[in-house]
Amino acid sequence: MKLGAKREAIRLRKQGLPYSAIKKTLRVSKSSLSLWLRDVELSPKQKKKILVGLEKSRYAGAMQKRADRNRRIEIVRSQARKEFLGLSKNPLFFTGLALYAAEGDKNSMERVKFANSDPYLIVLMMRWFREICLVPESKFRIALHIHNLHSNRSVTSFWVSRVSLPKSQFYKLYVKQSTLKHRRNVLYNGTCSVIISSKDLFRKIMTWKQMLFENFEAK
């Protein structure tokens, strides 16, 4: 059986098929193919045919990924549009959405991030993420930035109590060097960034934001 498979593998290879196609057709391991085909000499024409086939396969794969991504995006956006009507009855929904539209990340990385130095706004947004966006507790990550003049050991503890998350979900404190000579604000506890790695949530929030602006433009 293996001798027949080897002969067929050699025949297919000389026809210009790549390893992946032969492996799928014959259902043999890649190591077996490497052993069987290592001494197969290919003409320049055969090599070119294999390269063209690989390029077509990669292109088809890339197109399939793009189609899958676009399909997923449309599903998320459609769900967000349906949720908007029900959530619009909740004052917290519009408050948090407006704050995110003003201060939240809206870049191409498609991650959710809200940064501010005001603890009251951070507390409000944590409530918005939890109650409106239904973010699981394990998905939250917190990044703290502070100038060296204001840096102290209690900064992380201060924000732990505000966001109600364990220290294990905090990134290492980033301390930025300052040219200032004296500490100007003794109450300053740095900037807190709430980060949620979820493309679906990012796309949902962007859809809500668009609908919010469209509602105001229509009036």
Side-chain angles (χ1 to χ4, degrees):
M1 181 177 177
K2 281 196 173 183
L3 182 59
K6 179 180 179 180
R7 288 173 178 168
E8 182 64 11
I10 293 172
R11 186 184 71 81
L12 293 173
R13 183 62 172 172
K14 287 183 176 181
Q15 284 185 353
L17 269 68
Y19 274 43
S20 58
I22 299 172
K23 180 175 177 291
K24 186 176 181 181
T25 301
L26 301 180
R27 297 187 178 182
V28 295
S29 66
K30 189 176 180 180
S31 58
S32 294
L33 283 182
S34 298
L35 181 64
W36 296 345
L37 304 177
R38 64 184 179 182
D39 296 324
V40 175
E41 293 290 336
L42 299 176
S43 66
K45 185 177 180 180
Q46 289 170 328
K47 290 179 181 178
K48 183 177 180 181
K49 186 176 180 180
I50 289 173
L51 287 174
V52 170
L54 285 172
E55 288 176 359
K56 287 182 178 179
S57 177
R58 287 169 185 159
Y59 179 78
M63 291 298 99
Q64 184 61 51
K65 284 184 178 179
R66 180 180 292 181
D68 291 342
R69 179 177 180 272
N70 290 338
R71 193 178 302 112
R72 177 64 186 175
I73 290 174
E74 187 48 44
I75 290 173
V76 172
R77 287 176 175 169
S78 177
Q79 184 64 32
R81 286 191 285 268
K82 292 177 182 178
E83 292 174 346
F84 187 90
L85 296 176
L87 290 170
S88 62
K89 300 173 184 177
N90 187 339
L92 177 62
F93 173 64
F94 283 123
T95 303
L97 183 56
L99 279 172
Y100 194 92
E103 301 288 340
D105 259 19
K106 299 171 278 290
N107 58 40
S108 58
M109 289 180 66
E110 293 189 311
R111 69 169 180 180
V112 178
K113 180 181 177 183
F114 181 86
N116 211 279
S117 60
D118 188 331
Y120 293 104
L121 290 184
I122 293 296
V123 169
L124 190 155
M125 287 305 295
M126 287 297 295
R127 184 182 169 192
W128 189 73
F129 287 134
R130 284 169 167 140
E131 297 182 19
I132 301 297
C133 301
L134 304 178
V135 176
E137 293 297 300
S138 61
K139 291 287 289 183
F140 288 108
R141 291 295 180 272
I142 305 297
L144 303 178
H145 293 71
I146 196 164
H147 291 288
N148 61 317
L149 285 178
H150 302 93
S151 181
N152 59 67
R153 294 180 180 179
S154 64
V155 167
T156 301
S157 297
F158 172 85
W159 288 108
V160 164
S161 66
R162 297 313 187 274
V163 299
S164 300
L165 290 171
K167 288 184 180 180
S168 59
Q169 289 177 234
F170 281 63
Y171 293 117
K172 183 179 179 181
L173 176 66
Y174 177 77
V175 181
K176 184 177 180 180
Q177 297 303 309
S178 175
T179 57
L180 299 175
K181 300 296 183 181
H182 304 287
R183 186 174 181 177
R184 293 183 177 177
N185 184 359
V186 295
L187 299 177
Y188 181 69
N189 285 286
T191 299
C192 177
S193 297
V194 182
I195 303 168
I196 304 159
S197 296
S198 173
K199 290 184 177 181
D200 284 351
L201 179 57
F202 176 86
R203 293 161 184 165
K204 180 180 286 190
I205 293 173
M206 291 301 101
T207 303
W208 288 343
K209 179 176 75 74
Q210 181 181 0
M211 294 182 72
L212 175 66
F213 291 162
E214 287 174 352
N215 275 0
F216 277 103
E217 288 176 357
K219 294 179 180 179

